[in-house]
Amino acid sequence: MSLHVKLRYILKVVAAAAWVIVLPVTYAYTWENPPGFAREIKSWFGNDSKSPTLFILALVIYLSPNMLAGILFLFPFIRRLLEGSNYRIVMLIMWWSQPRLYVGRAMHESAFSLFKYTMFWILLIITKLAFSYYIEVYFMDTQIWYAIFSTMFGGVYGAFRRLGEIRTLGMLRSRFQSLPGAFNACLIPLDKDEHKKKGLKATLSRRFEKIESNRGKEAARFAQLWNEIITSFREEDLINNREMDLLLVPYWADRSLEIIQWPPFLLASKIPIALDMAKDSNGKDQELKKRIEADYYMSCAVSECYSSFKSIINFMVEGKPEKKVVDYIFSEVEKHKETGNLVSEYKISCLPSLYEHFVKLMKCLLENKQEDRDQVVILFQDMLEVVTRDIMMEDHIQSFLDSIHGGSGHEGMTPLDQQYQLFASSGAIRFPIEPMTEAWKEKINRLYLLLTVKESAMDVPSNLEARRRMSYFSNSLFMDMPPSPKVRNMLSFSEYNVNFLFNPSGILKLQEAVLVASAFACSAHVLTPYYTEEVLFSLRDLEEENEDGVSILFYLQKIFPDEWSNFLERVRSNIEDLKGSEELQEELRLWASYRGQTLTRTVRGMMYYRKALELQAFLDMAGDDDLMQGYKAIELNAEDQKKGERSLWAQCQAVADMKFTYVVSCQQYGIQKRVSADSYPSLRVAYIDEVEEASKDRTKKIQKVYYSALVKAALPKSSGSLEPGQNLDQVIYKIKLPGPAILGEGKPENQNHAIIFTRGEGLQTIDMNQDNYMEEALKMRNLLQEFLKKHGGVRYPTILGLREHIFTGSVSSLAWFMSNQETSFVTIGQRLLANPLKVRFHYGHPDVFDRLFHLSRGGVSKASKVINLSEDIFAGFNSTLREGNVTHHEYIQVGKGRDVGLNQISMFEAKIANGNGEQTLSRDIYRLGHRFDFFRMLSCYFTTVGFYFSTLVTVLTVYVFLYGRLYLVLSGLEEGLSNQRAFRNNKPLQVALASQSFVQIGFLMALPMLMEIGLERGFRTALSEFVLMQLQLAPVFFTFSLGTKTHYYGRTLLHGGAKYRATGRGFVVFHAKFAENYRLYSRSHFVKGIELLILLIVYEIFGQPYRSALAYVLITVSMWFMVGTWLFAPFLFNPSGFEWQKIVDDWTDWNKWISNRGGIGVPPEKSWESWWEEEQEHLRHSGVRGIIAEILLSLRFFIYQYGLVYHLSITKRTKSFLVYGVSWLVIFFMLSVMKTISVGRRRFSANFQLVFRLFKGMIFMTFVSVLVILIALPHMTVQDIIVCILAFMPTGWGLLLIAQALKPIVHRAGFWGSIRTLARGYEIVMGLLLFTPVAFLAWFPFVSEFQTRMLFNQAFSRGLQISRILGGHRKDRSSRHKD
């Protein structure tokens, strides 16, 4: 502590002592008739009549700091200036109020932001007090009201941000006309003379100009962007070839058409309907025109088909006579169109005949075969005859044709063999078309689709993910986002992956975190954490079957049946041929990896940024001719254009390379160090290189030296030069480190070691199991512009928050629950945290950091061991404490995978709860709590550690209530108090337990879910999904999660020792063994569930029944529900958990595990002893306070014995303390017997086996005799036996817990072996209690069927047949064997 701080504390003590004197003295002068002591004080200082004003003056001076603080609270900009000022007088004033701040100064927001979050909390507190004024002490009550208010405010904010305006394909169709304008306004840089509209009116209206037919450049830009998005859908196998053709607009703009060419899925079936309308028009031009123009897209389809028909005919007809005929016919049609009498003059009912001939012509043009020439000639002649004879029926037309044929105008004057046959001569028509350009193919294929698609394309695309992405992307263009700059002017940005291994088979394995950093035009980087999961599935991984006979490939085929069909169509193969080609095998591996939570999926998604930049650079730099030819044209000619340094393609790639770099950072870079340079030329790999070198001193001792290295793939000079095992890595940079880089938590250390290799102004953090989409990558340069504008009017953003889409929600009901829970947090939750509460931090990925800001302030993550387990949020704390600003933006999103099985979800929630426990103990939360004003501090508390503390209070409420009732019951007080009205109608208690019930069943989670689903997908959908979640036992899941959060958060607060828990990110959900579930949930759920079960049983036996139905439900039913959930939810949510054969296998495995001895090198999965020792590790690192707290908490188990021994039938008449003493003698006797048996087994079971067995038999007979005597003489009842068990079992468990807390002492005393034996006995009893009901239910087959339906109902609705997954494949295999 510095001298200035010490002086400040001394002066404050002196000032406080002075006020202790001044205030009483001045107050004494205000009394007219003071008592003796006050009169004495007045005599000391005189009896002036004006003296009473001194007290008021003293009071004003005393309260002046508080009044000044109030003024500064209302005017936060003044306080910001004062805290940031370096003037000496200001520094002196601030020194008196607080020590000199280096962290946490000038954090105050604008006055408007202050007003918003202050009003939020004032309204919330008033509402809370209005409904529950007598339970203010319950933190969870305020947490519930926060959930309600956050739902309402978050929904309103979301509506103002225009979320959910386009949520279905029907809505997309209705607004598609304005979509090209939205594309050009949002994704294309504005011209210098254009200005973006601002203000509330612009935000609410958000209308874009429709692109007219004469604005070809705007239409061409829209076409390039839209087509690239649709093409990415096809490459990802979300749509098939037909759907892609229906969704694409022409790549190559046909300037001769002079119309807007909409995607065919909007125009599908319009031409056949228009033909039917024309056939039934009865010569009424205006009526037909009105009916066609009533449907805008039908009008467009008719205009485009006529224009394309005219263009194709004019292109194909080359003979002069034929051209005259064609030009004359089209001129006649145009003339009648202009006069408006086309229908009345021509016989439109014959159009179907012309339509049929033209469709046949389109087929010939698509095939373009020489042998079809004669058929094409016939088709032209037939079309001419239909037009001239059946449709036009005008004499001058026939006369004109006769003149062409060589006659004089009267039929039959010229001999037939001398007449000129139109279209029959060799040069009359151009067929086959040579060369067959891509533009021509596209034109013919599009026209053929418009003519032949008779069914409505309302279901295009049929894939749900493609629909969701199209709808969200289209909706996002109508949200408020910054205008996009040109690629040359945007901020740069990088991708960065941390710590993986290339093993000899070429599959990436990551042992720690992976960071992916990619560089964009405003400099930014992307961080992607990765931990021990697959990067690319091998064929062996895909085909290897599990115990149910199900492979990953088979599973994926059933989960994604439409995408599997699209994949086979794309590779033009079937499943048998896939394994015959290495290229197809690679495609298959990629297809499967893109549907798992793999690094391959993440890398593909992040590399969309480069593709987007290349396309956007083309649109920025292309001239009119290049723009009309299209982006696809320069892609097809890329090889030719690469030769020219100044070619447009080379410039686009150069700009993209300048703005984007992809760095993969690893802790270990294994045997095969080759990266895919062909696919990703921007890829870089950063890793820690361990090298053994001789020391430079005289000893020449070999020592390890560590380097942080950056490499890239060096392409071979020729394809033939690549040999197996050849190292193609080229080292770019290599930095020597002072020692091992991984000292703290693995992931943040990996981020920190390689962040030096990133570049630019921005840094995006991307997790390993995330995905990105082409359409979202197009908006990245808009997002980066957010760094250049102030949010809230105070400071520029330092972290840009993004929303996520959870793509794993369809695997099972658990995955669905987790998906909805996570979606509500990353959308409505973070939306409210950013605005109005101003306490959004960094919660992981995919936020974008101001790289320069954070590099100069400690980096993007803290890496201290244990305390920084949740390193992500500490980056947000750090940014806020150092005058940063964290915002949230919902017009851009990335994909995110989540855990899908109960064990995975529980480990993830345990890790988060551990992290929040460490946050509670951290200096960062302490500083934030001190430096925030009161209302912002409330926001910070209830949205971070307060949520977990409220969860802890929820469970503690149950414990306090039940133990309080246990005391009342066993002491006899409840019987006496039950007749008092205040005790029977205890409203505060009922409301408190009602709050506990709301938290327990997931009410805090359900409300935001409902609002967000309703906002983005409709409230009818939200209601139906809510009902379905209840039917699929969502309250069971949330109640079980409550136990997970409580256990790990409370343990961390008591003992610390939080650790990273690898959850695994597999998407296949299969059966978990009973022993595995027991290891994972024994201490967090099973022990606590059995404890609550004993409390409830005792209460049921001895307690007084509640007369109020509401009280009974809240106090009894909800607690029984919690007990049942904590004990049996792992088996209920375990696939095949009630299948009899699985139960038998689980029992065998459980017996083997519980019996195996531990020791050095024996993992916890193999032995109960090893697991039991590992479960106590947190006590080894706990401090004295933690040990004392553990012992004090264990004393609660002695209450049972003390109370219950006096409720036996043989002891009811006495209350002597000797009864309690005798009960302890019984316990010590039983422990002595157990110790004797344990010692005897160890010493005599081998050499004196018979004697030892006789000894055990005598003990058993003695026990039975004593029991019979107690039943016969004192008339002990069955209830007494149950009560004895309920009394002695908790005592033994309490002794076990105390012994574990005092392990060093117990170990030195030589009792540790006995403690272990006693613990094993308790574990066996608990295992039997859990296993017996599960085994009983497994006898009934319908239970297993119900469980399967409940678990996988969501997948059923998407076409997944779980029965085929769990049983169908085995049947297929057996049938193949029979064949």
Side-chain angles (χ1 to χ4, degrees):
M1 188 180 296
S2 66
L3 177 63
H4 295 85
V5 177
K6 292 179 180 178
L7 179 61
R8 175 174 169 269
Y9 284 129
I10 293 172
L11 291 178
K12 279 188 170 289
V13 170
V14 172
W19 282 115
V20 169
I21 298 171
V22 170
L23 288 176
V25 168
T26 54
Y27 184 64
Y29 280 90
T30 62
W31 294 359
E32 294 182 0
N33 298 310
F37 182 70
R39 190 181 306 113
E40 184 68 20
I41 292 175
K42 292 184 70 173
S43 66
W44 294 348
F45 298 94
N47 292 316
D48 191 355
S49 59
K50 297 181 180 181
S51 295
T53 58
L54 290 177
F55 175 71
I56 304 299
L57 179 61
L59 200 60
V60 169
I61 296 173
Y62 178 75
L63 295 177
S64 59
N66 294 326
M67 291 187 288
L68 180 60
I71 294 173
L72 293 178
F73 172 76
L74 296 175
F75 300 98
F77 68 93
I78 299 178
R79 189 158 188 176
R80 280 200 309 274
L81 292 174
L82 292 176
E83 290 185 0
S85 175
N86 290 320
Y87 288 106
R88 293 188 176 275
I89 183 63
V90 175
M91 291 173 64
L92 177 62
I93 296 174
M94 297 304 296
W95 171 80
W96 178 255
S97 63
Q98 63 187 28
R100 179 68 172 166
L101 293 175
Y102 297 97
V103 176
R105 56 193 253 175
M107 293 167 48
H108 311 283
E109 295 292 331
S110 65
F112 185 57
S113 298
L114 173 70
F115 172 78
K116 286 191 294 184
Y117 65 71
T118 301
M119 290 306 300
F120 175 91
W121 282 106
I122 288 175
L123 290 174
L124 188 151
I125 293 171
I126 291 174
T127 308
K128 169 193 157 40
L129 295 177
F131 281 86
S132 53
Y133 58 89
Y134 38 73
I135 59 163
E136 290 82 16
V137 295
Y138 291 96
F139 291 90
M140 58 187 175
D141 188 47
T142 307
Q143 194 77 49
I144 292 174
W145 283 109
Y146 171 78
I148 297 172
F149 270 70
S150 65
T151 299
M152 294 188 299
F153 277 75
V156 171
Y157 271 78
F160 273 92
R161 293 187 179 186
R162 313 181 70 85
L163 284 169
E165 288 190 357
I166 301 177
R167 56 178 180 267
T168 64
L169 286 180
M171 293 178 174
L172 176 60
R173 290 168 181 270
S174 66
R175 300 186 67 170
F176 206 92
Q177 296 178 50
S178 57
L179 205 57
F183 267 73
N184 280 273
C186 297
L187 304 180
I188 303 298
L190 298 175
D191 294 332
K192 293 182 179 180
D193 55 347
E194 295 183 43
H195 298 283
K196 187 176 179 181
K197 297 180 180 179
K198 298 181 180 180
L200 180 62
K201 184 177 180 181
T203 302
L204 294 176
S205 60
R206 199 68 174 149
R207 294 181 180 178
F208 299 101
E209 296 181 5
K210 294 182 180 179
I211 303 298
E212 303 296 338
S213 59
N214 59 351
R215 299 177 66 180
K217 291 177 63 176
E218 287 81 357
R221 291 192 182 106
F222 164 71
Q224 309 310 315
L225 293 169
W226 175 262
N227 286 350
E228 199 67 22
I229 294 169
I230 300 304
T231 303
S232 72
F233 283 7
R234 183 64 191 97
E235 291 172 352
E236 296 175 24
D237 296 317
L238 298 181
I239 57 177
N240 54 34
N241 291 338
R242 177 182 174 274
E243 290 177 329
M244 181 178 70
D245 291 337
L246 288 172
L247 289 167
L248 288 174
V249 296
Y251 277 100
W252 289 271
D254 191 344
R255 302 185 187 184
S256 63
L257 295 183
E258 296 183 352
I259 57 173
I260 294 293
Q261 293 181 286
W262 299 108
F265 84 103
L266 297 172
L267 312 179
S269 75
K270 302 298 183 183
I271 295 301
I273 295 174
L275 282 174
D276 292 338
M277 293 169 59
K279 187 170 62 175
D280 301 334
S281 61
N282 298 322
K284 299 178 180 178
D285 283 88
Q286 294 301 322
E287 181 181 344
L288 178 61
K289 183 178 180 181
K290 185 177 180 180
R291 291 177 65 187
I292 290 177
E293 291 181 349
D295 187 337
Y296 172 77
Y297 292 119
M298 182 180 290
S299 175
C300 291
V302 171
S303 300
E304 181 177 348
C305 282
Y306 172 74
S307 300
S308 298
F309 173 77
K310 179 181 176 181
S311 174
I312 291 171
I313 296 298
N314 286 330
F315 177 78
M316 293 185 66
V317 175
E318 292 184 322
K320 290 184 178 181
E322 288 81 2
K323 274 194 171 295
K324 285 184 180 181
V325 173
V326 170
D327 291 342
Y328 185 77
I329 291 174
F330 280 123
S331 64
E332 288 295 314
V333 173
E334 296 289 346
K335 182 174 68 176
H336 287 293
K337 277 177 59 180
E338 291 176 2
T339 57
N341 60 353
L342 184 69
V343 177
S344 59
E345 292 294 329
Y346 294 156
K347 189 177 180 181
I348 302 299
S349 60
C350 295
L351 275 179
S353 299
L354 178 63
Y355 166 80
E356 292 175 3
H357 292 310
F358 190 61
V359 169
K360 292 178 182 178
L361 176 63
M362 290 296 101
K363 289 182 180 179
C364 294
L365 290 175
L366 286 173
E367 296 176 0
N368 200 37
K369 296 178 181 178
Q370 178 66 39
E371 55 266 27
D372 293 337
R373 179 178 175 80
D374 294 339
Q375 184 180 353
V376 172
V377 171
I378 295 172
L379 286 172
F380 266 91
Q381 292 174 346
D382 291 344
M383 287 191 295
L384 179 63
E385 185 174 355
V386 170
V387 171
T388 56
R389 293 181 182 272
D390 299 337
I391 297 178
M392 304 187 80
M393 299 184 307
E394 293 181 344
D395 293 338
H396 62 91
I397 295 293
Q398 193 61 43
S399 300
F400 179 76
L401 287 177
D402 289 341
S403 67
I404 296 297
H405 279 249
S408 60
H410 298 281
E411 186 176 349
M413 293 297 293
T414 305
L416 191 62
D417 57 348
Q418 297 180 12
Q419 290 185 9
Y420 178 77
Q421 294 294 320
L422 290 173
F423 306 110
S425 62
S426 60
I429 60 173
R430 183 185 301 175
F431 189 85
I433 307 299
E434 295 294 344
M436 191 77 164
T437 63
E438 292 294 328
W440 175 260
K441 290 180 184 177
E442 181 184 68
K443 184 175 184 178
I444 298 300
N445 189 50
R446 175 181 172 83
L447 183 56
Y448 182 74
L449 283 174
L450 294 182
L451 293 172
T452 57
V453 177
K454 296 184 179 180
E455 70 275 10
S456 173
M458 295 295 291
D459 62 339
V460 174
S462 58
N463 184 275
L464 297 181
E465 176 65 6
R467 291 186 178 190
R468 183 199 65 80
R469 283 171 55 178
M470 283 180 62
S471 300
Y472 173 79
F473 175 70
S474 302
N475 192 115
S476 68
L477 297 180
F478 295 89
M479 299 181 188
D480 185 25
M481 68 174 74
S484 60
K486 290 188 175 183
V487 177
R488 290 182 180 274
N489 303 327
M490 66 178 285
L491 301 178
S492 55
F493 154 75
S494 301
E495 300 275 338
Y496 173 58
N497 277 46
V498 183
N499 194 358
F500 68 89
L501 289 156
F502 278 108
N503 67 15
S505 64
I507 298 177
L508 290 162
K509 300 269 187 187
L510 292 171
Q511 289 193 338
E512 298 294 336
V514 174
L515 261 139
V516 181
S518 55
F520 256 91
C522 149
S523 297
H525 295 258
V526 179
L527 300 154
T528 304
Y530 185 84
Y531 191 81
T532 62
E533 285 82 18
E534 299 291 350
V535 173
L536 180 66
F537 291 125
S538 66
L539 279 179
R540 182 180 178 182
D541 296 329
L542 296 178
E543 296 177 349
E544 186 176 4
E545 297 178 350
N546 71 342
E547 59 185 9
D548 295 310
V550 180
S551 65
I552 292 178
L553 182 60
F554 179 79
Y555 184 87
L556 289 174
Q557 290 171 0
K558 304 308 174 186
I559 289 284
F560 307 106
D562 53 343
E563 297 178 26
W564 174 249
S565 301
N566 297 341
F567 166 71
L568 294 178
E569 182 186 42
R570 177 169 60 85
V571 298
R572 299 176 183 176
S573 178
N574 53 43
I575 190 170
E576 287 79 15
D577 298 336
L578 284 174
K579 301 173 185 178
S581 167
E582 290 187 6
E583 183 179 352
L584 292 179
Q585 287 179 8
E586 188 71 18
E587 289 288 341
L588 177 62
R589 293 172 60 197
L590 288 172
W591 181 86
S593 300
Y594 290 153
R595 276 141 193 86
Q597 298 185 47
T598 61
L599 186 61
T600 301
R601 181 175 191 161
T602 304
V603 170
R604 180 197 63 175
M606 295 305 108
M607 291 307 296
Y608 276 136
Y609 286 130
R610 190 177 191 278
K611 292 183 67 175
L613 285 176
E614 290 176 352
L615 173 59
Q616 291 168 326
F618 165 78
L619 296 178
D620 289 347
M621 297 185 291
D624 291 351
D625 292 338
D626 290 328
L627 192 60
M628 293 304 172
Q629 287 181 4
Y631 179 65
K632 191 174 183 180
I634 70 165
E635 276 191 314
L636 294 174
N637 300 322
E639 291 300 325
D640 296 333
Q641 296 206 30
K642 283 181 181 178
K643 299 175 183 178
E645 295 183 1
R646 301 301 301 169
S647 66
L648 180 59
W649 177 252
Q651 292 181 52
C652 293
Q653 286 197 315
V655 172
D657 289 335
M658 181 177 65
K659 297 297 182 178
F660 179 83
T661 305
Y662 191 57
V663 180
V664 180
S665 171
C666 336
Q667 178 186 353
Q668 300 179 27
Y669 189 50
I671 300 171
Q672 279 194 338
K673 300 192 286 186
R674 181 180 168 193
V675 288
S676 180
D678 294 329
S679 302
Y680 306 124
S682 299
L683 184 64
R684 303 289 183 269
V685 177
Y687 69 100
I688 298 174
D689 193 13
E690 297 183 11
V691 181
E692 290 187 350
E693 296 180 354
S695 61
K696 296 181 179 180
D697 56 13
R698 295 180 180 178
T699 61
K700 300 295 182 180
K701 184 179 180 182
I702 301 298
Q703 59 183 5
K704 279 190 176 182
V705 181
Y706 298 88
Y707 294 91
S708 186
L710 181 71
V711 300
K712 70 176 181 179
L715 292 176
K717 296 180 180 179
S718 63
S719 59
S721 66
L722 183 61
E723 299 177 0
Q726 182 177 359
N727 189 353
L728 298 180
D729 292 347
Q730 176 184 344
V731 178
I732 306 174
Y733 302 109
K734 200 168 186 180
I735 303 171
K736 188 174 182 179
L737 303 175
I742 310 302
L743 298 176
E745 295 294 337
K747 173 186 164 185
E749 289 284 23
N750 282 306
Q751 291 176 348
N752 293 335
H753 102 82
I755 198 173
I756 192 174
F757 297 125
T758 59
R759 70 182 188 193
E761 294 90 357
L763 179 64
Q764 185 182 15
T765 53
I766 291 290
D767 201 356
M768 180 288 302
N769 59 340
Q770 292 199 251
D771 197 3
N772 197 22
Y773 314 116
M774 181 64 193
E775 64 273 17
E776 300 304 316
L778 294 171
K779 294 179 285 189
M780 179 52 76
R781 58 178 179 175
N782 301 77
L783 178 70
L784 293 173
Q785 290 299 104
E786 299 282 359
F787 280 124
L788 305 180
K789 68 175 186 178
K790 291 185 177 180
H791 290 257
V794 176
R795 54 181 69 91
Y796 294 101
T798 52
I799 299 179
L800 302 177
L802 276 67
R803 60 178 279 156
E804 296 171 310
H805 165 68
I806 312 302
F807 55 73
T808 51
S810 62
V811 175
S812 66
S813 59
L814 287 176
W816 186 38
F817 301 155
M818 191 67 178
S819 171
N820 285 337
Q821 173 181 316
E822 194 70 14
T823 298
S824 67
F825 173 70
V826 299
T827 53
I828 189 171
Q830 296 188 16
R831 180 188 313 145
L832 190 77
L833 295 182
N835 190 16
L837 299 185
K838 303 299 291 184
V839 289
R840 189 195 187 278
F841 302 112
H842 173 54
Y843 305 101
H845 317 283
D847 294 355
V848 182
F849 287 79
D850 182 335
R851 177 174 169 272
L852 300 180
F853 177 91
H854 287 89
L855 275 180
S856 59
R857 290 164 177 81
V860 297
S861 58
K862 293 186 176 182
S864 298
K865 201 70 174 176
V866 179
I867 191 70
N868 295 134
L869 176 66
S870 299
E871 83 290 338
D872 301 317
I873 198 167
F874 283 96
F877 293 160
N878 190 49
S879 182
T880 303
L881 285 168
R882 287 161 173 79
E883 301 182 55
N885 185 17
V886 186
T887 59
H888 185 68
H889 308 277
E890 297 190 87
Y891 54 79
I892 186 171
Q893 67 174 359
V894 298
K896 174 72 173 178
R898 273 298 176 203
D899 307 293
V900 297
L902 184 63
N903 292 0
Q904 295 173 321
I905 293 172
S906 296
M907 285 190 287
F908 171 76
E909 292 190 334
K911 180 178 67 175
I912 300 301
N914 282 152
N916 273 270
E918 296 295 345
Q919 291 168 39
T920 307
L921 307 174
S922 69
R923 73 178 72 178
D924 301 76
I925 283 290
Y926 172 81
R927 286 169 171 169
L928 287 171
H930 273 258
R931 298 308 307 139
F932 279 154
D933 58 68
F934 176 73
F935 296 106
R936 200 174 175 197
M937 181 270 293
L938 287 179
S939 302
C940 178
Y941 170 77
F942 282 105
T943 57
T944 53
V945 297
F947 172 78
Y948 283 86
F949 190 78
S950 298
T951 302
L952 179 64
V953 171
T954 299
V955 177
L956 289 179
T957 301
V958 177
Y959 273 85
V960 170
F961 168 75
L962 288 179
Y963 273 101
R965 289 286 179 174
L966 178 68
Y967 170 76
L968 293 177
V969 166
L970 298 182
S971 64
L973 290 176
E974 186 183 51
E975 186 176 357
L977 294 174
S978 60
N979 296 323
Q980 298 184 16
R981 183 176 180 182
F983 182 82
R984 293 198 311 268
N985 300 319
N986 194 337
K987 293 294 182 181
L989 177 62
Q990 293 182 16
V991 175
L993 292 174
S995 301
Q996 178 271 331
S997 301
F998 282 131
V999 176
Q1000 171 187 320
I1001 64 175
F1003 178 79
L1004 301 184
M1005 303 292 183
L1007 275 182
M1009 285 182 204
L1010 281 174
M1011 176 58 74
E1012 193 61 27
I1013 295 173
L1015 194 64
E1016 298 195 23
R1017 295 163 55 193
F1019 285 96
R1020 184 176 63 179
T1021 302
L1023 185 60
S1024 63
E1025 290 205 356
F1026 177 75
V1027 173
L1028 187 59
M1029 285 176 65
Q1030 308 314 304
L1031 295 177
Q1032 290 188 289
L1033 306 183
V1036 174
F1037 169 74
F1038 290 121
T1039 302
F1040 190 81
S1041 297
L1042 182 77
T1044 305
K1045 297 183 181 79
T1046 300
H1047 173 75
Y1048 289 101
Y1049 179 73
R1051 174 184 282 189
T1052 305
L1053 289 183
L1054 278 178
H1055 308 291
K1059 64 180 180 179
Y1060 183 85
R1061 299 172 188 272
T1063 61
R1065 290 183 171 123
F1067 49 82
V1068 184
V1069 182
F1070 291 119
H1071 180 77
K1073 293 185 178 297
F1074 177 82
E1076 181 183 347
N1077 283 332
Y1078 188 87
R1079 287 192 295 270
L1080 187 57
Y1081 304 117
S1082 174
R1083 297 303 182 260
S1084 60
H1085 293 83
F1086 296 157
V1087 169
K1088 294 178 174 60
I1090 291 175
E1091 180 183 357
L1092 294 178
L1093 177 66
I1094 294 175
L1095 285 168
L1096 289 171
I1097 290 175
V1098 172
Y1099 188 71
E1100 286 291 326
I1101 294 175
F1102 301 107
Q1104 298 294 320
Y1106 281 91
R1107 295 176 176 85
S1108 169
L1110 176 62
Y1112 183 81
V1113 170
L1114 294 178
I1115 297 175
T1116 307
V1117 174
S1118 66
M1119 294 182 184
W1120 278 105
F1121 179 76
M1122 177 184 286
V1123 169
T1125 297
W1126 284 5
L1127 292 179
F1128 299 107
F1131 313 109
L1132 185 63
F1133 289 120
N1134 187 16
S1136 303
F1138 296 96
E1139 188 177 315
W1140 180 250
Q1141 187 56 47
K1142 292 285 197 313
I1143 293 294
V1144 174
D1145 295 340
D1146 286 357
W1147 178 248
T1148 304
D1149 178 73
W1150 156 262
N1151 279 326
K1152 183 179 178 181
W1153 175 74
I1154 202 75
S1155 304
N1156 283 349
R1157 298 181 63 85
I1160 299 175
V1162 180
E1165 296 80 14
K1166 299 295 183 181
S1167 168
W1168 170 84
E1169 289 185 6
S1170 299
W1171 169 81
W1172 186 67
E1173 294 286 349
E1174 186 184 66
E1175 277 295 308
Q1176 304 165 36
E1177 279 192 4
H1178 64 281
L1179 295 173
R1180 293 173 54 193
H1181 306 290
S1182 182
V1184 176
R1185 286 178 294 181
I1187 297 296
I1188 294 174
E1190 186 75 18
I1191 294 173
L1192 292 177
L1193 289 174
S1194 302
L1195 295 178
R1196 71 184 187 272
F1197 292 103
F1198 299 143
I1199 298 176
Y1200 300 87
Q1201 178 187 350
Y1202 181 70
L1204 289 175
V1205 293
Y1206 292 100
H1207 285 73
L1208 298 173
S1209 58
I1210 60 177
T1211 60
K1212 277 188 175 179
R1213 297 177 183 176
T1214 178
K1215 301 299 179 184
S1216 172
F1217 189 77
L1218 289 176
V1219 174
Y1220 185 59
V1222 171
S1223 67
W1224 275 104
L1225 289 177
V1226 172
I1227 289 176
F1228 287 131
F1229 175 75
M1230 294 175 64
L1231 292 176
S1232 300
V1233 170
M1234 292 179 62
K1235 177 67 175 177
T1236 303
I1237 294 175
S1238 176
V1239 173
R1241 179 182 291 108
R1242 188 169 60 253
R1243 295 187 178 182
F1244 304 115
S1245 61
N1247 299 326
F1248 304 96
Q1249 186 176 12
L1250 180 60
V1251 175
F1252 181 66
R1253 293 175 67 181
L1254 290 173
F1255 178 70
K1256 289 196 296 183
M1258 290 177 58
I1259 292 175
F1260 177 73
M1261 294 301 297
T1262 304
F1263 172 75
V1264 172
S1265 302
V1266 171
L1267 184 63
V1268 170
I1269 293 172
L1270 289 175
I1271 293 175
L1273 297 180
H1275 303 291
M1276 177 179 278
T1277 63
V1278 175
Q1279 178 175 321
D1280 289 340
I1281 296 175
I1282 295 174
V1283 170
C1284 286
I1285 294 173
L1286 296 177
F1288 295 142
M1289 291 296 286
T1291 301
W1293 185 255
L1295 292 174
L1296 267 178
L1297 294 180
I1298 294 174
Q1300 291 172 11
L1302 301 174
K1303 180 180 177 180
I1305 299 175
V1306 176
H1307 202 281
R1308 285 195 296 268
F1311 288 104
W1312 189 246
S1314 302
I1315 294 298
R1316 184 167 52 234
T1317 303
L1318 179 63
R1320 191 194 302 269
Y1322 269 92
E1323 305 285 359
I1324 293 173
V1325 171
M1326 283 193 293
L1328 287 173
L1329 287 175
L1330 296 169
F1331 196 86
T1332 303
V1334 177
F1336 175 77
L1337 291 175
W1339 274 95
F1340 305 99
F1342 69 87
V1343 176
S1344 181
E1345 294 178 6
F1346 165 77
Q1347 184 206 29
T1348 300
R1349 180 71 184 181
M1350 181 270 298
L1351 272 180
F1352 297 99
N1353 190 59
Q1354 181 73 0
F1356 265 106
S1357 66
R1358 293 187 55 181
L1360 171 64
Q1361 298 293 335
I1362 275 299
S1363 59
R1364 295 174 63 188
I1365 289 182
L1366 296 180
H1369 195 41
R1370 284 172 288 179
K1371 294 179 181 178
D1372 293 343
R1373 287 187 300 159
S1374 61
S1375 64
R1376 286 199 300 269
H1377 291 322
K1378 290 179 181 178
D1379 294 340

